[in-house]
Amino acid sequence: MAISPDFSYVAKLMADSSRAAMLEALLGLDGLPANELARKADVTLQTASSHLSKMVEGKLIRVEKHGRHRYYSLANTDVAKAIETLIVIAPPVRIRSLKDSSRAEKIKIARTCYDHLAGRLGVKLTEAFIVKGYMIEEEDNFSVTEEGETFFRDFGIDLDTLRNKRRHFARKCLDWSERRYHLAGSLGHAVLLKLLELNWIEKLPDRAVKITIEGKEKLYNILGIEM
């Protein structure tokens, strides 16, 4: 008799292609309504609602009411991490059109990965923190150095508050498109929010992120990042 949790239940929930498309869409920073998720999965609203109910019951996603509308999001960072890991080992998608090619390139340059920054920009940003001596790599996480404590404080990020959150502080996340690590955890989330606040980056549809003209200049001048 099995004594460990039955992960086949979760695997079956994720295995349906329509539900998988919805889960990938929810790797973005914001929750989405059912009609938008139906469009992402290319199914009817009725079919999407059925899939969403099953995933809420299975605790893969959660739903919040805002007025007359319902918005769905991933249940927690553990679900996001599981999806990220599956994407890393999944075969590459076939590009069938110029539109698909353009979208794929935008996603590879910069995107949100649940609540942190990924893609080429996410990896370059993480590597710049290491080269500058602000972080060092450990087995599964990054550690902030004394120089990093000063840098992030001056950058407007409260590390003490982040360390007190009930989640990983500076987790290593393997980037599926770059095949190198980017920064996740509460620190990765704080960095993403700060870059958005400073208008160095802007959110685009389908989880893509645009680097602004000011952002390119600041990232190069402060961290030596060329994009």
Side-chain angles (χ1 to χ4, degrees), residues 82-140:
I83 296 169
E84 292 164 7
T85 301
L86 289 172
I87 292 174
V88 168
I89 63 176
V93 66
R94 293 180 62 185
I95 302 298
R96 301 179 183 273
S97 68
L98 183 60
K99 181 180 178 181
D100 287 345
S101 177
S102 176
R103 178 178 177 270
E105 184 58 27
K106 288 179 181 178
I107 287 289
K108 288 179 181 179
I109 291 172
R111 64 182 179 274
T112 53
C113 181
Y114 189 47
D115 65 351
H116 55 274
L117 194 61
R120 202 168 303 146
L121 176 59
V123 169
K124 283 195 172 189
L125 190 65
T126 301
E127 292 178 347
F129 289 155
I130 295 171
V131 170
K132 292 284 185 180
Y134 303 149
M135 296 191 316
I136 56 175
E137 285 192 74
E138 296 180 342
E139 185 173 352
D140 297 316

Short mmCIF file of all heavy atoms in Angstrom, two decimals, residues 82-140:
data_model
loop_
_atom_site.label_atom_id
_atom_site.label_comp_id
_atom_site.label_asym_id
_atom_site.label_seq_id
_atom_site.Cartn_x
_atom_site.Cartn_y
_atom_site.Cartn_z
N ALA A 82 5.96 23.45 -9.98
CA ALA A 82 5.71 22.17 -10.66
C ALA A 82 5.52 22.39 -12.16
O ALA A 82 6.04 21.64 -12.98
CB ALA A 82 4.48 21.49 -10.06
N ILE A 83 4.76 23.44 -12.52
CA ILE A 83 4.52 23.73 -13.93
C ILE A 83 5.83 24.13 -14.61
O ILE A 83 6.14 23.69 -15.73
CB ILE A 83 3.47 24.84 -14.08
CG1 ILE A 83 2.13 24.37 -13.53
CG2 ILE A 83 3.32 25.24 -15.55
CD1 ILE A 83 1.10 25.48 -13.39
N GLU A 84 6.62 24.99 -13.94
CA GLU A 84 7.91 25.42 -14.49
C GLU A 84 8.80 24.22 -14.77
O GLU A 84 9.46 24.14 -15.81
CB GLU A 84 8.61 26.36 -13.51
CG GLU A 84 7.93 27.71 -13.33
CD GLU A 84 8.42 28.43 -12.08
OE1 GLU A 84 9.37 27.94 -11.44
OE2 GLU A 84 7.84 29.47 -11.73
N THR A 85 8.82 23.26 -13.84
CA THR A 85 9.67 22.08 -14.00
C THR A 85 9.22 21.23 -15.18
O THR A 85 10.04 20.74 -15.96
CB THR A 85 9.64 21.23 -12.71
OG1 THR A 85 10.10 22.02 -11.61
CG2 THR A 85 10.55 20.01 -12.84
N LEU A 86 7.91 21.07 -15.33
CA LEU A 86 7.39 20.30 -16.46
C LEU A 86 7.70 20.98 -17.80
O LEU A 86 8.00 20.31 -18.79
CB LEU A 86 5.88 20.11 -16.31
CG LEU A 86 5.43 19.16 -15.18
CD1 LEU A 86 3.92 19.22 -15.02
CD2 LEU A 86 5.89 17.73 -15.47
N ILE A 87 7.64 22.31 -17.83
CA ILE A 87 7.96 23.03 -19.05
C ILE A 87 9.42 22.83 -19.44
O ILE A 87 9.75 22.70 -20.62
CB ILE A 87 7.65 24.54 -18.89
CG1 ILE A 87 6.13 24.76 -18.78
CG2 ILE A 87 8.20 25.35 -20.07
CD1 ILE A 87 5.73 26.18 -18.47
N VAL A 88 10.30 22.76 -18.45
CA VAL A 88 11.73 22.56 -18.72
C VAL A 88 11.98 21.24 -19.43
O VAL A 88 12.80 21.15 -20.35
CB VAL A 88 12.55 22.64 -17.41
CG1 VAL A 88 13.98 22.15 -17.63
CG2 VAL A 88 12.57 24.06 -16.87
N ILE A 89 11.27 20.19 -19.03
CA ILE A 89 11.52 18.86 -19.60
C ILE A 89 10.61 18.53 -20.78
O ILE A 89 10.75 17.48 -21.39
CB ILE A 89 11.39 17.76 -18.52
CG1 ILE A 89 9.95 17.71 -17.96
CG2 ILE A 89 12.39 17.98 -17.40
CD1 ILE A 89 9.73 16.57 -16.96
N ALA A 90 9.68 19.44 -21.10
CA ALA A 90 8.75 19.21 -22.21
C ALA A 90 9.45 19.44 -23.54
O ALA A 90 10.39 20.24 -23.64
CB ALA A 90 7.54 20.13 -22.09
N PRO A 91 9.02 18.77 -24.61
CA PRO A 91 9.61 19.01 -25.94
C PRO A 91 9.25 20.40 -26.43
O PRO A 91 8.20 20.94 -26.06
CB PRO A 91 8.95 17.92 -26.81
CG PRO A 91 7.68 17.58 -26.10
CD PRO A 91 7.97 17.73 -24.65
N PRO A 92 10.09 21.00 -27.26
CA PRO A 92 9.81 22.35 -27.76
C PRO A 92 8.56 22.37 -28.63
O PRO A 92 8.24 21.39 -29.31
CB PRO A 92 11.06 22.70 -28.57
CG PRO A 92 11.67 21.38 -28.94
CD PRO A 92 11.36 20.47 -27.79
N VAL A 93 7.85 23.50 -28.59
CA VAL A 93 6.63 23.64 -29.38
C VAL A 93 6.99 23.88 -30.85
O VAL A 93 8.02 24.48 -31.17
CB VAL A 93 5.78 24.81 -28.84
CG1 VAL A 93 6.48 26.15 -29.05
CG2 VAL A 93 4.40 24.83 -29.47
N ARG A 94 6.15 23.40 -31.76
CA ARG A 94 6.36 23.62 -33.19
C ARG A 94 5.82 24.99 -33.59
O ARG A 94 4.68 25.32 -33.29
CB ARG A 94 5.66 22.52 -33.99
CG ARG A 94 6.26 21.13 -33.82
CD ARG A 94 5.51 20.11 -34.65
NE ARG A 94 5.59 20.41 -36.07
CZ ARG A 94 4.95 19.72 -37.01
NH1 ARG A 94 4.15 18.71 -36.66
NH2 ARG A 94 5.07 20.05 -38.28
N ILE A 95 6.64 25.78 -34.24
CA ILE A 95 6.23 27.10 -34.72
C ILE A 95 5.56 26.94 -36.07
O ILE A 95 6.17 26.44 -37.02
CB ILE A 95 7.44 28.06 -34.82
CG1 ILE A 95 8.13 28.18 -33.44
CG2 ILE A 95 7.01 29.41 -35.34
CD1 ILE A 95 7.27 28.76 -32.36
N ARG A 96 4.30 27.38 -36.18
CA ARG A 96 3.53 27.15 -37.40
C ARG A 96 3.24 28.42 -38.18
O ARG A 96 2.69 28.35 -39.28
CB ARG A 96 2.21 26.46 -37.04
CG ARG A 96 2.39 25.12 -36.33
CD ARG A 96 1.05 24.52 -35.98
NE ARG A 96 1.20 23.27 -35.24
CZ ARG A 96 1.35 22.08 -35.80
NH1 ARG A 96 1.37 21.98 -37.12
NH2 ARG A 96 1.47 20.99 -35.07
N SER A 97 3.55 29.59 -37.63
CA SER A 97 3.23 30.83 -38.33
C SER A 97 4.18 31.93 -37.90
O SER A 97 4.90 31.81 -36.90
CB SER A 97 1.79 31.25 -38.04
OG SER A 97 1.65 31.64 -36.68
N LEU A 98 4.19 33.03 -38.66
CA LEU A 98 5.00 34.19 -38.31
C LEU A 98 4.55 34.79 -36.99
O LEU A 98 5.37 35.24 -36.18
CB LEU A 98 4.91 35.25 -39.43
CG LEU A 98 5.78 36.50 -39.26
CD1 LEU A 98 7.25 36.14 -39.19
CD2 LEU A 98 5.51 37.48 -40.41
N LYS A 99 3.24 34.75 -36.75
CA LYS A 99 2.70 35.26 -35.48
C LYS A 99 3.22 34.45 -34.30
O LYS A 99 3.62 35.00 -33.27
CB LYS A 99 1.16 35.21 -35.51
CG LYS A 99 0.50 35.76 -34.25
CD LYS A 99 -1.01 35.68 -34.36
CE LYS A 99 -1.68 36.17 -33.09
NZ LYS A 99 -3.16 36.09 -33.16
N ASP A 100 3.22 33.12 -34.45
CA ASP A 100 3.75 32.25 -33.39
C ASP A 100 5.23 32.52 -33.16
O ASP A 100 5.71 32.53 -32.02
CB ASP A 100 3.56 30.78 -33.77
CG ASP A 100 2.11 30.34 -33.67
OD1 ASP A 100 1.31 31.07 -33.04
OD2 ASP A 100 1.79 29.27 -34.21
N SER A 101 5.98 32.72 -34.25
CA SER A 101 7.41 32.98 -34.16
C SER A 101 7.69 34.27 -33.41
O SER A 101 8.58 34.34 -32.55
CB SER A 101 8.03 33.03 -35.56
OG SER A 101 9.40 33.34 -35.49
N SER A 102 6.91 35.32 -33.72
CA SER A 102 7.08 36.62 -33.06
C SER A 102 6.76 36.52 -31.58
O SER A 102 7.49 37.06 -30.74
CB SER A 102 6.17 37.65 -33.73
OG SER A 102 6.23 38.89 -33.06
N ARG A 103 5.67 35.83 -31.25
CA ARG A 103 5.29 35.67 -29.84
C ARG A 103 6.34 34.86 -29.08
O ARG A 103 6.71 35.20 -27.97
CB ARG A 103 3.94 34.97 -29.74
CG ARG A 103 3.50 34.70 -28.31
CD ARG A 103 2.12 34.05 -28.25
NE ARG A 103 1.76 33.74 -26.88
CZ ARG A 103 2.02 32.60 -26.26
NH1 ARG A 103 2.67 31.64 -26.91
NH2 ARG A 103 1.66 32.39 -25.01
N ALA A 104 6.85 33.80 -29.70
CA ALA A 104 7.86 32.96 -29.05
C ALA A 104 9.13 33.75 -28.76
O ALA A 104 9.74 33.59 -27.70
CB ALA A 104 8.18 31.76 -29.93
N GLU A 105 9.53 34.63 -29.69
CA GLU A 105 10.73 35.43 -29.49
C GLU A 105 10.54 36.43 -28.35
O GLU A 105 11.45 36.62 -27.53
CB GLU A 105 11.09 36.16 -30.78
CG GLU A 105 12.40 36.95 -30.69
CD GLU A 105 13.60 36.10 -30.32
OE1 GLU A 105 13.60 34.89 -30.60
OE2 GLU A 105 14.55 36.66 -29.72
N LYS A 106 9.36 37.04 -28.27
CA LYS A 106 9.08 37.98 -27.17
C LYS A 106 9.15 37.27 -25.83
O LYS A 106 9.70 37.80 -24.86
CB LYS A 106 7.71 38.62 -27.37
CG LYS A 106 7.64 39.64 -28.49
CD LYS A 106 6.22 40.20 -28.62
CE LYS A 106 6.13 41.20 -29.76
NZ LYS A 106 4.75 41.71 -29.93
N ILE A 107 8.56 36.07 -25.78
CA ILE A 107 8.56 35.30 -24.54
C ILE A 107 9.98 34.91 -24.12
O ILE A 107 10.31 34.90 -22.93
CB ILE A 107 7.68 34.03 -24.72
CG1 ILE A 107 6.20 34.40 -24.76
CG2 ILE A 107 7.96 33.01 -23.63
CD1 ILE A 107 5.64 34.84 -23.43
N LYS A 108 10.82 34.59 -25.09
CA LYS A 108 12.20 34.20 -24.78
C LYS A 108 13.03 35.39 -24.29
O LYS A 108 13.92 35.23 -23.47
CB LYS A 108 12.85 33.58 -26.00
CG LYS A 108 12.33 32.18 -26.34
CD LYS A 108 12.99 31.63 -27.59
CE LYS A 108 12.46 30.25 -27.93
NZ LYS A 108 13.08 29.70 -29.16
N ILE A 109 12.73 36.58 -24.80
CA ILE A 109 13.50 37.78 -24.39
C ILE A 109 13.20 38.11 -22.94
O ILE A 109 14.11 38.30 -22.13
CB ILE A 109 13.18 38.97 -25.31
CG1 ILE A 109 13.75 38.72 -26.70
CG2 ILE A 109 13.77 40.26 -24.72
CD1 ILE A 109 13.33 39.75 -27.72
N ALA A 110 11.93 38.22 -22.58
CA ALA A 110 11.56 38.56 -21.20
C ALA A 110 10.10 38.20 -20.97
O ALA A 110 9.25 38.47 -21.81
CB ALA A 110 11.79 40.05 -20.94
N ARG A 111 9.83 37.57 -19.83
CA ARG A 111 8.47 37.17 -19.49
C ARG A 111 8.34 37.07 -17.98
O ARG A 111 9.34 37.05 -17.25
CB ARG A 111 8.13 35.82 -20.12
CG ARG A 111 8.99 34.67 -19.59
CD ARG A 111 8.69 33.34 -20.24
NE ARG A 111 9.56 32.29 -19.72
CZ ARG A 111 10.77 32.01 -20.19
NH1 ARG A 111 11.26 32.71 -21.22
NH2 ARG A 111 11.50 31.05 -19.66
N THR A 112 7.10 37.01 -17.52
CA THR A 112 6.88 36.70 -16.12
C THR A 112 6.80 35.19 -15.97
O THR A 112 6.23 34.50 -16.83
CB THR A 112 5.58 37.34 -15.60
OG1 THR A 112 4.50 36.98 -16.45
CG2 THR A 112 5.72 38.84 -15.53
N CYS A 113 7.37 34.68 -14.92
CA CYS A 113 7.32 33.26 -14.59
C CYS A 113 6.64 33.18 -13.23
O CYS A 113 7.31 33.26 -12.20
CB CYS A 113 8.74 32.69 -14.57
SG CYS A 113 8.86 30.93 -14.22
N TYR A 114 5.32 33.12 -13.23
CA TYR A 114 4.47 33.27 -12.05
C TYR A 114 4.66 34.67 -11.49
O TYR A 114 4.11 35.62 -12.02
CB TYR A 114 4.76 32.18 -11.01
CG TYR A 114 3.75 32.17 -9.87
CD1 TYR A 114 2.39 32.23 -10.12
CD2 TYR A 114 4.17 32.09 -8.55
CE1 TYR A 114 1.47 32.23 -9.08
CE2 TYR A 114 3.25 32.07 -7.51
CZ TYR A 114 1.91 32.14 -7.77
OH TYR A 114 1.01 32.14 -6.73
N ASP A 115 5.48 34.85 -10.45
CA ASP A 115 5.60 36.19 -9.86
C ASP A 115 7.03 36.73 -9.92
O ASP A 115 7.39 37.63 -9.18
CB ASP A 115 5.12 36.18 -8.42
CG ASP A 115 5.98 35.31 -7.50
OD1 ASP A 115 6.86 34.58 -8.02
OD2 ASP A 115 5.78 35.36 -6.27
N HIS A 116 7.85 36.19 -10.84
CA HIS A 116 9.21 36.71 -10.98
C HIS A 116 9.57 36.82 -12.46
O HIS A 116 8.79 36.43 -13.33
CB HIS A 116 10.22 35.83 -10.22
CG HIS A 116 10.18 34.39 -10.61
ND1 HIS A 116 9.32 33.47 -10.04
CD2 HIS A 116 10.88 33.68 -11.54
CE1 HIS A 116 9.49 32.27 -10.58
NE2 HIS A 116 10.44 32.37 -11.51
N LEU A 117 10.72 37.36 -12.74
CA LEU A 117 11.15 37.65 -14.10
C LEU A 117 11.94 36.49 -14.68
O LEU A 117 12.82 35.93 -14.00
CB LEU A 117 12.00 38.92 -14.11
CG LEU A 117 12.28 39.60 -15.45
CD1 LEU A 117 10.96 40.05 -16.09
CD2 LEU A 117 13.18 40.81 -15.24
N ALA A 118 11.64 36.14 -15.93
CA ALA A 118 12.32 35.02 -16.59
C ALA A 118 12.72 35.42 -18.00
O ALA A 118 12.59 36.57 -18.40
CB ALA A 118 11.40 33.79 -16.60
N GLY A 119 13.21 34.44 -18.76
CA GLY A 119 13.69 34.72 -20.10
C GLY A 119 15.11 35.26 -20.07
O GLY A 119 15.79 35.24 -19.04
N ARG A 120 15.55 35.76 -21.22
CA ARG A 120 16.92 36.27 -21.35
C ARG A 120 17.20 37.37 -20.33
O ARG A 120 18.26 37.40 -19.71
CB ARG A 120 17.12 36.78 -22.77
CG ARG A 120 18.57 36.86 -23.22
CD ARG A 120 18.61 37.11 -24.73
NE ARG A 120 17.89 36.06 -25.46
CZ ARG A 120 17.22 36.26 -26.57
NH1 ARG A 120 17.15 37.46 -27.13
NH2 ARG A 120 16.60 35.25 -27.16
N LEU A 121 16.23 38.26 -20.14
CA LEU A 121 16.43 39.35 -19.18
C LEU A 121 16.54 38.82 -17.76
O LEU A 121 17.41 39.26 -17.00
CB LEU A 121 15.27 40.36 -19.28
CG LEU A 121 15.31 41.50 -18.26
CD1 LEU A 121 16.60 42.31 -18.40
CD2 LEU A 121 14.08 42.39 -18.41
N GLY A 122 15.67 37.88 -17.39
CA GLY A 122 15.73 37.32 -16.04
C GLY A 122 17.06 36.66 -15.74
O GLY A 122 17.62 36.81 -14.65
N VAL A 123 17.59 35.91 -16.72
CA VAL A 123 18.88 35.24 -16.54
C VAL A 123 20.01 36.25 -16.48
O VAL A 123 20.90 36.16 -15.62
CB VAL A 123 19.11 34.22 -17.68
CG1 VAL A 123 20.54 33.71 -17.68
CG2 VAL A 123 18.14 33.06 -17.55
N LYS A 124 20.01 37.24 -17.38
CA LYS A 124 21.08 38.25 -17.39
C LYS A 124 21.07 39.08 -16.11
O LYS A 124 22.13 39.43 -15.58
CB LYS A 124 20.93 39.16 -18.61
CG LYS A 124 21.40 38.54 -19.91
CD LYS A 124 21.58 39.60 -20.99
CE LYS A 124 22.24 39.01 -22.23
NZ LYS A 124 22.61 40.06 -23.21
N LEU A 125 19.89 39.38 -15.61
CA LEU A 125 19.77 40.14 -14.37
C LEU A 125 20.35 39.35 -13.21
O LEU A 125 21.13 39.88 -12.40
CB LEU A 125 18.31 40.46 -14.12
CG LEU A 125 17.98 41.44 -12.99
CD1 LEU A 125 18.52 42.83 -13.29
CD2 LEU A 125 16.47 41.49 -12.76
N THR A 126 20.02 38.07 -13.15
CA THR A 126 20.53 37.20 -12.08
C THR A 126 22.05 37.08 -12.17
O THR A 126 22.76 37.18 -11.15
CB THR A 126 19.89 35.81 -12.19
OG1 THR A 126 18.47 35.95 -12.06
CG2 THR A 126 20.40 34.89 -11.10
N GLU A 127 22.57 36.87 -13.38
CA GLU A 127 24.02 36.74 -13.55
C GLU A 127 24.74 38.04 -13.24
O GLU A 127 25.86 38.03 -12.71
CB GLU A 127 24.32 36.26 -14.97
CG GLU A 127 23.85 34.83 -15.20
CD GLU A 127 24.08 34.34 -16.62
OE1 GLU A 127 24.38 35.18 -17.50
OE2 GLU A 127 23.97 33.12 -16.85
N ALA A 128 24.10 39.18 -13.51
CA ALA A 128 24.70 40.47 -13.17
C ALA A 128 24.81 40.64 -11.66
O ALA A 128 25.81 41.16 -11.15
CB ALA A 128 23.88 41.61 -13.77
N PHE A 129 23.79 40.19 -10.93
CA PHE A 129 23.83 40.25 -9.46
C PHE A 129 25.01 39.43 -8.93
O PHE A 129 25.67 39.83 -7.94
CB PHE A 129 22.53 39.72 -8.86
CG PHE A 129 21.33 40.60 -9.06
CD1 PHE A 129 20.05 40.07 -9.06
CD2 PHE A 129 21.47 41.98 -9.23
CE1 PHE A 129 18.93 40.87 -9.22
CE2 PHE A 129 20.35 42.80 -9.40
CZ PHE A 129 19.08 42.24 -9.40
N ILE A 130 25.29 38.30 -9.58
CA ILE A 130 26.40 37.45 -9.15
C ILE A 130 27.74 38.08 -9.51
O ILE A 130 28.66 38.13 -8.68
CB ILE A 130 26.26 36.05 -9.77
CG1 ILE A 130 25.00 35.35 -9.24
CG2 ILE A 130 27.50 35.20 -9.49
CD1 ILE A 130 24.66 34.05 -9.95
N VAL A 131 27.88 38.56 -10.74
CA VAL A 131 29.13 39.18 -11.19
C VAL A 131 29.48 40.41 -10.35
O VAL A 131 30.65 40.63 -10.00
CB VAL A 131 29.03 39.57 -12.68
CG1 VAL A 131 30.23 40.42 -13.10
CG2 VAL A 131 28.97 38.31 -13.54
N LYS A 132 28.46 41.18 -9.99
CA LYS A 132 28.67 42.38 -9.18
C LYS A 132 28.97 42.05 -7.72
O LYS A 132 29.34 42.93 -6.94
CB LYS A 132 27.44 43.27 -9.25
CG LYS A 132 27.18 43.91 -10.61
CD LYS A 132 28.13 45.06 -10.86
CE LYS A 132 27.80 45.77 -12.16
NZ LYS A 132 28.71 46.91 -12.43
N GLY A 133 28.79 40.78 -7.35
CA GLY A 133 29.07 40.37 -5.97
C GLY A 133 27.91 40.58 -5.03
O GLY A 133 28.08 40.57 -3.81
N TYR A 134 26.69 40.75 -5.59
CA TYR A 134 25.52 40.98 -4.74
C TYR A 134 24.88 39.67 -4.28
O TYR A 134 24.19 39.64 -3.27
CB TYR A 134 24.47 41.81 -5.49
CG TYR A 134 24.98 43.15 -5.97
CD1 TYR A 134 24.47 43.73 -7.13
CD2 TYR A 134 25.98 43.84 -5.28
CE1 TYR A 134 24.94 44.96 -7.59
CE2 TYR A 134 26.45 45.07 -5.73
CZ TYR A 134 25.93 45.62 -6.89
OH TYR A 134 26.39 46.82 -7.34
N MET A 135 25.12 38.59 -5.03
CA MET A 135 24.60 37.28 -4.67
C MET A 135 25.65 36.22 -4.98
O MET A 135 26.51 36.44 -5.83
CB MET A 135 23.32 36.93 -5.46
CG MET A 135 22.13 37.81 -5.22
SD MET A 135 20.56 37.16 -5.94
CE MET A 135 21.06 36.60 -7.57
N ILE A 136 25.55 35.09 -4.29
CA ILE A 136 26.37 33.94 -4.61
C ILE A 136 25.45 32.73 -4.76
O ILE A 136 24.38 32.66 -4.15
CB ILE A 136 27.45 33.66 -3.55
CG1 ILE A 136 26.82 33.47 -2.16
CG2 ILE A 136 28.48 34.77 -3.51
CD1 ILE A 136 27.82 33.08 -1.09
N GLU A 137 25.86 31.79 -5.61
CA GLU A 137 25.06 30.60 -5.84
C GLU A 137 25.30 29.56 -4.75
O GLU A 137 26.44 29.33 -4.33
CB GLU A 137 25.42 29.98 -7.19
CG GLU A 137 24.87 30.71 -8.39
CD GLU A 137 25.01 29.89 -9.66
OE1 GLU A 137 24.24 28.91 -9.82
OE2 GLU A 137 25.89 30.22 -10.46
N GLU A 138 24.22 28.93 -4.31
CA GLU A 138 24.29 27.78 -3.43
C GLU A 138 23.63 26.61 -4.16
O GLU A 138 23.38 26.70 -5.37
CB GLU A 138 23.62 28.09 -2.09
CG GLU A 138 24.34 29.21 -1.33
CD GLU A 138 23.70 29.55 -0.01
OE1 GLU A 138 22.51 29.19 0.19
OE2 GLU A 138 24.37 30.19 0.83
N GLU A 139 23.35 25.53 -3.48
CA GLU A 139 22.84 24.34 -4.18
C GLU A 139 21.50 24.60 -4.86
O GLU A 139 21.36 24.38 -6.06
CB GLU A 139 22.71 23.18 -3.19
CG GLU A 139 22.32 21.88 -3.88
CD GLU A 139 22.35 20.69 -2.94
OE1 GLU A 139 22.82 20.83 -1.79
OE2 GLU A 139 21.89 19.62 -3.35
N ASP A 140 20.52 25.05 -4.12
CA ASP A 140 19.18 25.28 -4.68
C ASP A 140 18.74 26.73 -4.59
O ASP A 140 17.65 27.08 -5.08
CB ASP A 140 18.14 24.42 -3.94
CG ASP A 140 18.39 22.93 -4.13
OD1 ASP A 140 18.67 22.52 -5.27
OD2 ASP A 140 18.32 22.19 -3.13
#
